[in-house]
Amino acid sequence: MKNTSFFVRAGADDGPEEQDGRQAGLLLKTRPKNKKPALYKVLLLNDDYTPMEFVVHVLERFFSKNRMEATDIMMHVHRRGVGVCGVYTHEIAETKVTQVMDFARANEQPLQCVMEEE
Ligand code: TYC
């Protein structure tokens, strides 16, 4: 549900000033903000050169996967070409992508990591 704030005319008399000092004739009504943040999938892409063990390590180190979860995701990417490592808010997803890309580059691996809005 979208957040809304709106002004409405004050009550019947429209007197010069409210008791709490607000401007006469105006009353601010605000609904609680319950807007959920946009979410982004962080994806790993397959390539022909990055060792499987390196990808498993990336999933353990940056996405807190255990060995079995990491192996499942790595094999999914290997077979299907792309796979989801996790779903995060924009800033966290961006950080994950940067961490993986920096780590891959530092280790001279062509591994690619991207983010995509859900
Ligand atoms: N295809 C790679 C290989 O056979 C393994 C691999 C899996 C690479 C997942 C990248 O995101 C990846 N060594």
Side-chain angles (χ1 to χ4, degrees), residues 35-94:
K35 191 169 175 179
K36 300 198 186 79
L39 293 176
Y40 297 80
K41 292 181 282 199
V42 174
L43 306 172
L44 277 181
L45 309 185
N46 189 38
D47 66 71
D48 292 338
Y49 301 101
T50 306
M52 290 184 174
E53 264 309 313
F54 185 85
V55 179
V56 170
H57 178 72
V58 163
L59 287 159
E60 290 174 337
R61 177 163 172 166
F62 299 113
F63 299 95
S64 303
K65 303 302 184 188
N66 64 37
R67 181 61 56 94
M68 278 187 51
E69 293 167 337
T71 301
D72 282 353
I73 295 168
M74 181 281 294
M75 286 307 298
H76 174 94
V77 176
H78 176 69
R79 293 183 174 125
R80 307 289 300 273
V82 60
V84 179
C85 308
V87 177
Y88 308 97
T89 56
H90 190 275
E91 186 176 352
I92 294 175
E94 220 167 41

Side-chain angles (χ1 to χ4, degrees), residues 15-26:
E17 192 174 60
E18 304 294 327
Q19 285 202 336
D20 64 4
R22 283 175 299 172
Q23 183 67 43
L26 284 177

